[in-house]
Amino acid sequence: MARQSGPRARAVPDDSAANIWGAAGNLATARAIHTATLLPSGQVLVAGGFDSGTFYASAERYLAASNTWSAAASLTNTRYYHTATLLRSGKVLVAAGYNGTALVSAGRYDPATDTWGITGNLATARYVHTATLLPSGQVLVAGGGQGNSAIPINSAERYDPSTNAWSDAASLSQARA
């Protein structure tokens, strides 16, 4: 079926048959509040998380071609409510999070070697924040929460992959998590 939009309508294939959910195998570790990042290889990296009072540092990779999961190198420490951002290099930046306390630590995953490297720490501990890849290739981390009740904060920081370091960015006009 073709869909039309505006004066330059063109035929668009009806892909509704492809919009069907199917089983994707089981993770080795049941987890919630983790991150899932699509890697350039087409694999999906699942990292960290929480389940029934347990915080996880473990990570797994989904291989679509075989519909299976395999173990990946573990994060340097347990965390959930963190962010994971695919960098231009194909590496993944994991920032901050929570594991009983708000975290300042961050790490960088290299899918080619299945290893985690440590980046410098953020200046401000945070979780339930956002992380956005900027056109410059840097990552903007903004807002988030602190304390056991995620008290909103207004600070922001930038990660520069070329220097593997964090720097302050302008604060948000309003605290938010």
Side-chain angles (χ1 to χ4, degrees):
M1 175 184 284
R3 290 179 236 156
Q4 297 185 2
S5 61
R8 292 186 181 163
R10 60 183 176 176
V12 177
D14 182 354
D15 63 355
S16 60
N19 292 327
I20 298 171
W21 287 93
N26 293 324
L27 289 155
T29 302
R31 61 183 83 218
I33 319 171
H34 55 278
T35 56
T37 308
L38 179 62
L39 302 173
S41 66
Q43 295 180 5
V44 176
L45 174 69
V46 169
F50 170 87
D51 184 45
S52 302
T54 302
F55 310 126
Y56 294 114
S58 64
E60 300 179 51
R61 286 166 68 157
Y62 174 69
L63 301 101
S66 60
N67 196 32
T68 59
W69 292 89
S70 65
S74 291
L75 296 156
T76 54
N77 58 339
T78 61
R79 66 183 70 225
Y80 66 103
Y81 283 133
H82 56 286
T83 56
T85 307
L86 181 65
L87 303 173
R88 287 181 176 170
S89 65
K91 296 177 181 178
V92 178
L93 173 70
V94 167
Y98 188 82
N99 66 1
T101 188
L103 301 172
V104 295
S105 62
R108 192 165 61 177
Y109 178 73
D110 184 343
T113 59
D114 187 34
T115 56
W116 289 92
I118 297 172
T119 70
N121 286 339
L122 289 84
T124 303
R126 64 183 75 227
Y127 62 104
V128 296
H129 55 283
T130 62
T132 304
L133 181 65
L134 301 173
S136 66
Q138 294 183 347
V139 177
L140 176 67
V141 169
Q146 291 182 321
N148 290 334
S149 58
I151 298 165
I153 58 176
N154 70 343
S155 68
E157 303 176 51
R158 291 173 89 137
Y159 171 74
D160 186 341
S162 66
T163 61
N164 199 31
W166 293 90
S167 61
D168 288 334
S171 294
L172 299 165
S173 59
Q174 182 176 354
R176 58 191 70 200

